[in-house]
Amino acid sequence: MVMFQWQLCKSIHDFLHVDKSRMVGLSPHLILRTRRADAINDKKDDIGWTGNILFDRMVGSTIYTCTPGEYGRLGSNKLVDSVCDYIQFKQKSHNNPYPIPVGGSNAIGTWGYINGVDELIQQMEAIHGHDPSSEFALDHVIFATGSGGTATGISVGLSLAYGSLGDGHHATLGQSPQVHAVGVCDNPEYFYQSMSSIADEMGICLPSNKTTELFVREAVTVHNGKGRGYGFSSEEELDFILQFSIETGIALDPVYSGKALYYFLKKVVEGDPESYRNKNILFWHTGGSIGLYEKGDDLLGRLSVASPVKRIDAYGTKGMSDDDAVIL
């Protein structure tokens, strides 16, 4: 049994892990935070199949619902512990659950992003290897954060790589880049505290005169980019996501990467353009494009213009104009 939690239609974390659970013989159990918890329980509403729900149910996940208010008052850890107790002691199967916190944001999960930084460093060193005269270096690294694990892993990983933490400085990398985490929910103070807790859990070693929270605040700047709130998109954000896809071929999800990149470009860079002019900026896309499915209705009007659908008048008998159809 593996136990983790998510919010309706929007979690990258649960989508990535339910199939992996089945691959290693574990049964996935999910906590769903939704305002429709009571209606779903009373059979007045259905949980549906939007976004990642369909995939979660296709692999036979057991889903437990709670309201956002219950989640806020009790906290994620208490809810996970309660469901774990239910699985282990109140069900006849007596299975032993393995709890995973919201977003997979704990010490073990965070190591994945430290490995990701190692991969990034190898790519940068390969650039210098192909062209030793290259002066390419990163000035800024930006990414979305929703529970603190991504931000902790990338910040600690870059601090290790550039020598501000430990002695692992790579001489070819240049100066350490400025790190920016764009929060898609909560507020910066929440993330600084969450990151400090995760770093302590990882066993981070710091000089005696530096607290973990001070290290975190020096390592990363957290921006409040939640906009209308977690999972809610403004018209401007949706316009940006669609236009970005058209211009680059890269899909940004509306909950994490799309919201974060929109905020950083429109609020941070446009608010201080000289600080970012002619700089090498890396935006770390953390996935989650499945979240676009939930926004289908919101995007529909835009798509009719951006992606027109035309009928082929195969026999030239439809009486349609060239603007409306392809006439053979």
Side-chain angles (χ1 to χ4, degrees):
M1 296 283 181
V2 61
M3 176 68 243
F4 45 97
Q5 60 184 301
W6 55 302
Q7 180 161 328
L8 184 59
C9 310
K10 306 175 181 80
S11 174
I12 300 173
H13 156 241
D14 98 274
F15 175 70
L16 292 175
H17 286 82
V18 290
D19 61 330
K20 305 301 185 296
S21 300
R22 287 300 187 190
M23 288 178 182
V24 296
L26 298 174
S27 301
H29 290 249
L30 315 175
I31 294 179
L32 166 64
R33 181 176 42 175
T34 172
R35 292 182 175 87
R36 298 188 289 116
D38 290 329
I40 292 170
N41 185 64
D42 295 338
K43 310 301 182 186
K44 296 177 181 178
D45 199 352
D46 187 82
I47 195 171
W49 49 80
T50 305
N52 46 354
I53 294 178
L54 177 60
F55 187 82
D56 294 332
R57 303 189 79 181
M58 285 290 292
V59 297
S61 302
T62 300
I63 300 173
Y64 308 81
T65 64
C66 71
T67 66
E70 292 165 344
Y71 176 89
R73 287 188 293 272
L74 298 175
S76 60
N77 291 336
K78 185 173 180 59
L79 288 169
V80 169
D81 290 343
S82 296
V83 175
C84 285
D85 287 343
Y86 169 79
I87 294 170
Q88 187 168 10
F89 301 114
K90 296 182 181 179
Q91 286 191 322
K92 294 180 180 179
S93 57
H94 297 293
N95 287 298
N96 186 27
Y98 177 80
I100 300 177
V102 60
S105 294
N106 61 7
I108 294 176
T110 299
W111 279 104
Y113 273 104
I114 292 180
N115 290 339
V117 171
D118 182 59
E119 192 174 318
L120 168 65
I121 299 305
Q122 291 180 40
Q123 293 174 4
M124 293 182 63
E125 290 181 331
I127 293 174
H128 287 281
H130 290 304
D131 182 9
S133 64
S134 171
E135 297 182 358
F136 174 79
L138 290 176
D139 298 304
H140 299 272
V141 176
I142 302 99
F143 47 84
T145 186
S147 52
T150 299
T152 307
I154 294 178
S155 300
V156 170
L158 289 172
S159 296
L160 288 168
Y162 283 88
S164 57
L165 182 63
D167 55 1
H169 184 254
H170 295 247
T172 59
L173 298 181
Q175 296 296 314
S176 177
Q178 295 184 41
V179 182
H180 305 262
V182 181
V184 299
C185 57
D186 295 294
N187 56 66
E189 288 304 313
Y190 164 82
F191 289 108
Y192 286 128
Q193 293 179 22
S194 175
M195 293 171 64
S196 300
S197 177
I198 295 170
D200 282 334
E201 185 185 350
M202 296 176 71
I204 191 170
C205 294
L206 298 169
S208 58
N209 63 341
K210 179 174 289 190
T211 65
T212 307
E213 184 172 340
L214 178 59
F215 160 75
V216 166
R217 289 178 180 274
E218 291 177 349
V220 58
T221 299
V222 181
H223 303 271
N224 189 343
K226 64 182 179 182
R228 293 183 58 209
Y230 181 76
F232 294 96
S233 302
S234 67
E235 296 297 313
E236 293 78 12
E237 288 171 356
L238 292 175
D239 288 339
F240 171 81
I241 289 170
L242 180 57
Q243 190 61 34
F244 188 88
S245 297
I246 291 171
E247 294 183 4
T248 67
I250 299 172
L252 298 172
D253 78 285
V255 182
Y256 296 96
S257 292
K259 185 181 284 286
L261 186 56
Y262 169 82
Y263 178 85
F264 193 79
L265 290 179
K266 298 297 183 179
K267 306 299 182 181
V268 179
V269 175
E270 289 188 6
D272 185 15
E274 291 306 315
S275 294
Y276 299 94
R277 195 180 305 280
N278 299 321
K279 301 296 184 181
N280 292 320
I281 300 174
L282 170 66
F283 179 77
W284 196 308
H285 192 325
T286 53
S289 55
I290 193 172
L292 282 168
Y293 289 103
E294 192 201 0
K295 300 296 182 182
D297 291 341
D298 295 328
L299 290 168
L300 190 58
R302 296 171 172 83
L303 293 177
S304 63
V305 176
S307 178
V309 179
K310 294 181 178 291
R311 174 73 162 93
I312 297 177
D313 190 354
Y315 304 106
T317 60
K318 301 291 185 182
M320 305 172 74
S321 70
D322 290 341
D323 292 334
D324 297 325
V326 177
I327 302 174
L328 302 185

